[in-house]
Amino acid sequence: GDSVTQMEGPVTLSEEAFLTINCTYTATGYPSLFWYVQYPGEGLQLLLKATKADDKGSNKGFEATYRKETTSFHLEKGSVQVSDSAVYFCALSPLTSGYSTLTFGKGTMLLVSP
Amino acid sequence: DAGVTQSPTHLIKTRGQQVTLRCSPKSGHDTVSWYQQALGQGPQFIFQYYEEEERQRGNFPDRFSGHQFPNYSSELNVNALLLGDSALYLCASSFSVRATEAFFGQGTRLTVV
């Protein structure tokens, strides 16, 4: 079945450092890929998405590129802020099922210190 | 524009009891999905409702059931609660059953004691 694997956290960085959170997936067909963010005590917010190979999703300084050849969708940000501290989830939604449901990774906690 | 709203925010139940969680989708959305997020884990898909019918179901026992109303709001019911049902239950809505983008509510934190 479909699955998503993320790097384990926590990832601890200083403010203005470069961020990479690795995400790889297994799926039949060509799913849409997403990054969601969850702040403490809150639900999930969509951060960015990509729907086909080589697409780059971007939002709030975060970027991720859909790499079909490596089945990856790594999240990057050039300069993190303390306010970026949260849990980040990589997810996929298969296109072939006819119905859109999400399969999530286990999440990666990011801690940014001043 | 109100987003996805869930009630209650927190709930404590005893083993063996039954619980009902509620969700109102974002305005303009007709599809509702429910997810269970155990502590330290990613959300797991429970089921999806569209046109008042269950359209997809994840790997959850029949103790988990749901309903969708004509106004697109939805309920999640869990019978015979187990300690392992303690989790954050998230509702997500989308404007179409085939839409790839889902909007999540704040969740209901269920604790079973």
Side-chain angles (χ1 to χ4, degrees):
Chain A
D2 298 343
S3 66
V4 175
T5 303
Q6 294 180 233
M7 61 187 291
E8 291 194 18
V11 173
T12 305
L13 295 172
S14 297
E15 205 166 25
E16 299 183 3
F18 184 85
L19 168 71
T20 299
I21 300 178
N22 290 336
C23 170
T24 57
Y25 67 90
T26 302
T28 54
Y30 303 104
S32 292
L33 301 175
F34 305 84
W35 278 99
Y36 280 85
V37 59
Q38 186 173 38
Y39 297 99
E42 298 187 10
L44 298 173
Q45 299 177 25
L46 177 64
L47 182 59
L48 54 84
K49 68 176 181 179
T51 57
K52 62 182 186 296
D54 300 325
D55 265 3
K56 176 184 284 187
S58 62
N59 186 29
K60 300 181 181 178
F62 291 90
E63 293 182 341
T65 300
Y66 191 138
R67 301 290 188 197
K68 186 179 68 174
E69 63 275 14
T70 55
T71 61
S72 65
F73 193 54
H74 305 320
L75 182 68
E76 297 182 337
K77 187 175 185 183
S79 176
V80 294
Q81 305 299 311
V82 172
S83 58
D84 293 327
S85 298
V87 180
Y88 292 80
F89 292 94
C90 185
L92 67 82
S93 179
L95 293 178
T96 55
S97 69
Y99 298 94
S100 177
T101 61
L102 290 161
T103 297
F104 287 89
K106 291 187 176 182
T108 302
M109 179 178 288
L110 171 64
L111 300 172
V112 181
S113 57
Chain B
D1 173 31
V4 180
T5 58
Q6 293 186 242
S7 63
T9 306
H10 296 85
L11 203 52
I12 300 175
K13 289 288 189 178
T14 304
R15 274 180 301 175
Q17 284 189 316
Q18 179 264 344
V19 69
T20 297
L21 311 181
R22 295 175 176 82
C23 171
S24 292
K26 184 176 170 65
S27 178
H29 287 189
D30 62 6
T31 301
V32 173
S33 301
W34 287 91
Y35 292 81
Q36 180 196 65
Q37 186 181 14
L39 198 61
Q41 301 295 315
Q44 297 287 318
F45 174 70
I46 303 175
F47 43 53
Q48 182 182 70
Y49 276 83
Y50 172 67
E51 291 185 333
E52 303 180 48
E53 291 189 13
E54 183 182 294
R55 300 293 178 168
Q56 289 257 81
R57 189 179 181 91
N59 188 26
F60 280 80
D62 292 344
R63 297 187 298 109
F64 289 77
S65 63
H67 189 76
Q68 186 179 34
F69 299 93
N71 67 353
Y72 309 122
S73 66
S74 177
E75 289 182 348
L76 164 64
N77 301 292
V78 187
N79 293 323
L81 284 166
L82 304 174
L83 295 180
D85 295 330
S86 295
L88 180 68
Y89 288 85
L90 295 165
C91 172
S93 73
S94 53
F95 71 84
S96 162
V97 72
R98 291 176 175 76
T100 57
E101 186 167 339
F103 293 79
F104 283 80
Q106 302 282 72
T108 294
R109 173 70 64 186
L110 172 66
T111 303
V112 182
V113 298

